[in-house]
Amino acid sequence: MITRRLFAAVALTAVVATACGTDDGKDAAVRPDGTVDLPQVTLRVGDQKGTALQALLESSGELQSVPYKIEWSQYTAGVPMLEAINSGAVDFGGVGNSPPVFSAAAKSSIKIVTGYYAGVAGQAVVVPKDSPLRSPGDLRGKKIAVTKGSSAHHQLLTVLTRNGLSFKDIEPQYLQPADALAALSTGRVDAWAIWDPYTAQAQQQANARILVDGDGYVNGDSFYVAGNKALDSKSRSAALRDLIARIRRAHTWVNEHPEQWAQVFAQQTGLAPDVALLSVTRNKYRDHPLDDATIDGEQQVADAFSEAGLIPREVRIRDYVDTRFNDLFPASS
């Protein structure tokens, strides 16, 4: 794990009232009068290559004058990040729609705290350009790479189910993106279920084609997740409120400056510029509150994994949702 600390240039003090049940007397950043001294707070934030949250915030100017400290940790996918959040090593991070389901099934100490739509075109099952596979039904009996517990895991499950297949009808190869790309490129797998920017990478660097994308199969939602300990801390939840507002503004900036962001994204991730640009331009952010429709949509994801026997128990998603930040995301956004 590579961890870097970003120290705020300007120290600010905020008075924040949040709904949490911590003992403020044990929180050094909470003053006797109940106000929060944000410069005394440190947030530990998880990041992924596919989302590059730190770079996004830096590029949009949202890391300027942050009134608290941020410690960044890098992860290859959402599931290991949520494992770190569950353990208390990380406070907060962004993931697709499936990792929270797997964490909830493991009874992890996490909550979904914000949601955003990130598009469905980048969610895809890709195959080599000259592959004989032409439709989802052709996946029967094939070796398909997928990252376990990822959003691509759900998309693949949905594609199979709606085309009369199941995971018993394929040979799933549970691989991380880098290993899956190599497996597809060398013919060790027949297909790869993946998300952007890796879908774009497969298209541009492995000459892959999209067999089926997420249109009509998935709702395109992703989430930010926080640990229960962070949410129970008045000071850290105050800092989270500020950070979430910055993320929303950064998303707006990306939508308005896609080419500028693609250049930075390429530099930060090591992706080729054409890969970064393809990924950025087909996926627009749309932040929204955790309303009933969003929660019900995530429940459908959980039910699909449960019915397929891919998680050990049924999950009630509402038990793993915290809506205290909904006021930051009007329904019209």
Side-chain angles (χ1 to χ4, degrees), residues 121-189:
Q123 290 277 347
V125 178
V126 300
V127 297
K129 186 178 181 179
D130 59 354
S131 169
L133 306 184
R134 294 293 169 180
S135 69
D138 295 335
L139 293 172
R140 183 186 297 274
K142 303 304 180 184
K143 292 182 179 180
I144 306 174
V146 64
T147 301
K148 188 172 186 179
S150 67
S151 59
H153 198 177
H154 174 250
Q155 193 243 358
L156 176 59
L157 172 62
T158 305
V159 166
L160 293 173
T161 302
R162 294 188 184 177
N163 287 278
L165 302 174
S166 73
F167 262 72
K168 294 180 180 179
D169 295 313
I170 66 169
E171 295 183 40
Q173 309 293 305
Y174 291 117
L175 301 171
Q176 292 299 314
D179 295 329
L181 177 62
L184 185 75
S185 300
T186 57
R188 289 186 285 115
V189 297

Side-chain angles (χ1 to χ4, degrees), residues 65-329:
S65 303
V66 174
Y68 41 84
K69 305 176 187 72
I70 302 178
E71 294 181 348
W72 294 94
S73 299
Q74 300 294 324
Y75 296 89
T76 58
V79 170
M81 181 193 296
L82 292 193
E83 290 173 353
I85 292 176
N86 173 57
S87 73
V90 173
D91 297 319
F92 175 85
V95 298
N97 61 1
S98 299
V101 170
F102 278 74
S103 289
K107 300 182 180 181
S108 298
S109 297
I110 58 100
K111 292 288 192 301
I112 296 170
V113 293
T114 75
Y116 65 95
Y117 174 83
V120 297
Q123 290 277 347
V125 178
V126 300
V127 297
K129 186 178 181 179
D130 59 354
S131 169
L133 306 184
R134 294 293 169 180
S135 69
D138 295 335
L139 293 172
R140 183 186 297 274
K142 303 304 180 184
K143 292 182 179 180
I144 306 174
V146 64
T147 301
K148 188 172 186 179
S150 67
S151 59
H153 198 177
H154 174 250
Q155 193 243 358
L156 176 59
L157 172 62
T158 305
V159 166
L160 293 173
T161 302
R162 294 188 184 177
N163 287 278
L165 302 174
S166 73
F167 262 72
K168 294 180 180 179
D169 295 313
I170 66 169
E171 295 183 40
Q173 309 293 305
Y174 291 117
L175 301 171
Q176 292 299 314
D179 295 329
L181 177 62
L184 185 75
S185 300
T186 57
R188 289 186 285 115
V189 297
D190 302 295
W192 180 20
I194 196 58
W195 64 94
D196 259 339
Y198 303 108
T199 303
Q201 186 177 30
Q203 289 178 276
Q204 302 285 33
Q205 296 182 356
N207 204 24
R209 61 178 167 84
I210 293 179
L211 180 73
V212 56
D213 65 19
D215 189 20
Y217 290 100
V218 294
N219 63 20
D221 268 348
S222 290
F223 300 98
Y224 284 101
V225 175
N228 289 352
K229 290 182 179 179
L231 291 169
D232 287 342
S233 163
K234 185 171 185 176
S235 64
R236 277 185 284 169
S237 61
L240 283 174
R241 171 170 286 274
D242 178 84
L243 180 61
I244 289 167
R246 292 173 187 270
I247 291 172
R248 182 190 179 192
R249 295 193 297 268
H251 284 171
T252 299
W253 178 86
V254 167
N255 290 341
E256 295 172 351
H257 304 84
E259 293 186 355
Q260 184 177 342
W261 166 236
Q263 292 178 358
V264 175
F265 190 37
Q267 293 170 356
Q268 292 292 322
T269 61
L271 294 170
D274 57 344
V275 170
L277 184 61
L278 176 58
S279 173
V280 168
T281 53
R282 71 179 170 198
N283 295 297
K284 300 292 185 181
Y285 292 109
R286 188 172 73 237
D287 295 278
H288 57 75
L290 297 174
D291 54 17
D292 288 342
T294 301
I295 297 171
D296 290 345
E298 185 68 354
Q299 184 64 56
Q300 292 174 17
V301 176
D303 292 344
F305 278 117
S306 176
E307 291 168 6
L310 296 175
I311 55 175
R313 69 183 185 93
E314 293 184 357
V315 170
R316 185 175 184 271
I317 287 297
R318 286 183 184 273
D319 294 338
Y320 293 89
V321 171
D322 189 316
T323 61
R324 75 178 70 178
F325 304 113
N326 267 3
D327 60 297
L328 295 173
F329 302 96

